[in-house]
Amino acid sequence: MDNCSADTWRFHHSAIAYGRDEGSADIGIPARMVGCGLAPTVKIPPMLKRAFDFAVALVLIVLLSPVIAATAIAIARRMGFPVLFRQLRPGLYGRPFEVLKFRTMAETLGADDRLLPDEARLTPLGVFLRRYSLDELPQLFNVLKGDMSLVGPR
């Protein structure tokens, strides 16, 4: 069976998604949504992958610390506090963890005291941060902590 006819993609140790069957998991993304022609899966020992993730995340945090600090200051000045957005996501074996992102939306309420739709709350700074994926820089701390793994660019 070729990869394009599979209902879901199968990922191994080098992916964020881990499963219960020796380091692989069906993540349920239809093949037609992600395309075909992925490189062959290479099994990497989990400890080696974790050491790589930790080292790369640490180096990136140090190198990008001026950008991280400038982004945090810009958010604090334009949108106030908190600077970070936290969201529970499923992690290894389905255990939840808090993913960190820079905040890109205002906490604007409508007349009925409910949050406005996302499109109405997205700030101009938030649009910029999302365009250049700067809102995702705090996820390097999740990688450092071991909640996430580095997978690569989109």
Side-chain angles (χ1 to χ4, degrees):
M1 173 167 69
D2 74 349
N3 288 337
C4 295
S5 63
D7 290 333
T8 59
W9 290 105
R10 190 146 188 91
F11 290 85
H12 295 279
H13 285 108
S14 59
I16 284 178
Y18 287 86
R20 291 177 177 82
D21 61 339
E22 299 303 313
S24 62
D26 288 327
I27 61 170
I29 299 174
R32 66 184 175 281
M33 290 178 65
V34 293
C36 299
L38 288 178
T41 302
V42 177
K43 289 202 176 198
I44 299 172
M47 287 182 61
L48 182 62
K49 176 66 174 144
R50 175 71 187 118
F52 173 80
D53 286 343
F54 185 87
V56 171
L58 188 61
V59 168
L60 287 173
I61 288 170
V62 170
L63 292 175
L64 295 171
S65 61
V67 176
I68 293 169
T71 303
I73 291 167
I75 292 170
R77 284 188 178 165
R78 295 200 180 146
M79 290 188 276
F81 291 94
V83 170
L84 294 177
F85 169 75
R86 299 166 189 267
Q87 184 180 43
L88 280 179
R89 300 254 178 107
L92 181 62
Y93 302 116
R95 281 183 242 139
F97 74 97
E98 257 187 3
V99 68
L100 300 174
K101 287 186 157 194
F102 280 123
R103 194 162 63 106
T104 59
M105 291 192 235
E107 304 273 334
T108 311
L109 300 175
D112 59 355
D113 286 333
R114 291 184 157 192
L115 286 174
L116 292 176
D118 290 352
E119 304 81 37
R121 296 186 302 126
L122 188 61
T123 65
L125 175 61
V127 170
F128 175 83
L129 295 176
R130 286 183 177 188
R131 180 178 298 134
Y132 297 103
S133 298
L134 297 175
D135 62 321
E136 298 183 14
L137 288 176
Q139 290 178 24
L140 289 171
F141 293 100
N142 287 116
V143 173
L144 205 60
K145 187 177 169 190
D147 290 335
M148 293 176 61
S149 177
L150 294 174
V151 176
R154 292 182 192 191

